[in-house]
Amino acid sequence: RVLVHSRNYPSTALPTLGLWAERLVQASTGVADITVLAPVPWVPPVLPSARLRAFRRVPRVEQRAGVAVWYPRIPVAPGYWLHALDARLHYPSIRRLAERLHREQPFDLIHAHFIYPDGVMAARLGRRWRVPVVTTEHAMWLPWLEDWPMVRRQVLAALPHIALVTGVSEAVCRQVRAVAGDLVATAVLPNVVDDEVFH
């Protein structure tokens, strides 16, 4: 039983967001029972923007290709205003739902896409539940973590509670090792690309 945590995942509001995360989930269903947490922004009813209102119409849960995908609402700010606080702001909503799902049927593994904020939160859950955590990194860690020292501190604190960090390329893994040193094991796990779509 795997809990996949990814803010980058398709929804009715953004149907092409994180297709690579969804493809990996679909490719894994033959060997694992997967549940997905795909947080979406909480949008107050008074906002006039049609683009933002689309997030209010995202269902709380739906079945996508036989996989239960849950869409908890999380507080977000425009752009990067509160980037360094994302993990702390999102964690209460994520933990509430994840704990309920874990009580109903315990997870054996947590797989987060991106170390921050998803991997940082997954590390906290993994520590609570005593289950291993892996992350998949789709983006370079540098200079991002140099520009955000508070985020870097959270990442470094989470790494001892993560069993494996996978990168979509050797270049990504090199940057992970440059930041993490020997705090965590790394491996290359390429993105799953549907060659019928991307021909």
Side-chain angles (χ1 to χ4, degrees), residues 40-199:
V40 296
W42 175 78
V43 176
V46 296
L47 285 181
S49 164
R51 188 170 146 254
L52 292 176
R53 283 199 314 269
F55 288 108
R56 291 184 57 78
R57 293 190 294 275
V58 173
R60 297 290 174 167
V61 62
E62 69 176 344
Q63 292 287 321
R64 293 182 63 93
V67 174
V69 181
W70 293 83
Y71 297 99
R73 275 37 181 190
I74 55 172
V76 294
Y80 278 77
W81 286 5
L82 297 175
H83 181 57
L85 300 175
D86 280 349
R88 292 178 187 157
L89 292 173
H90 302 175
Y91 186 66
S93 300
I94 299 303
R95 190 185 106 186
R96 236 183 340 268
L97 176 57
E99 292 278 10
R100 181 167 66 79
L101 296 171
H102 186 65
R103 275 195 307 274
E104 291 170 4
Q105 196 171 1
F107 294 105
D108 303 302
L109 175 72
I110 304 171
H111 181 188
H113 285 269
F114 293 102
I115 190 68
Y116 185 84
D118 300 355
V120 168
M121 291 184 282
R124 290 179 70 182
L125 290 172
R127 194 167 62 239
R128 285 174 63 85
W129 301 343
R130 294 189 170 94
V131 302
V133 174
V134 299
T135 71
T136 296
E137 303 306 318
H138 304 268
M140 299 295 189
W141 282 19
L142 299 171
W144 165 58
L145 288 179
E146 291 171 341
D147 296 340
W148 292 90
M150 191 170 161
V151 172
R152 183 186 181 115
R153 284 193 297 274
Q154 293 173 70
V155 167
L156 292 175
L159 287 174
H161 308 287
I162 295 174
L164 178 67
V165 172
T166 66
V168 296
S169 69
E170 181 55 40
V172 170
C173 284
R174 268 195 307 273
Q175 284 207 352
V176 170
R177 290 190 292 270
V179 172
D182 59 1
L183 286 176
V184 70
T186 62
V188 175
L189 179 65
N191 273 334
V192 177
V193 177
D194 186 337
D195 57 11
E196 290 183 15
V197 174
F198 300 101
H199 57 83

Side-chain angles (χ1 to χ4, degrees), residues 8-32:
N8 288 271
Y9 209 85
S11 70
T12 56
L14 293 172
T16 59
L17 178 68
L19 282 175
W20 28 265
E22 184 178 50
R23 295 278 193 266
L24 185 56
V25 165
Q26 290 171 354
S28 303
T29 57
V31 295

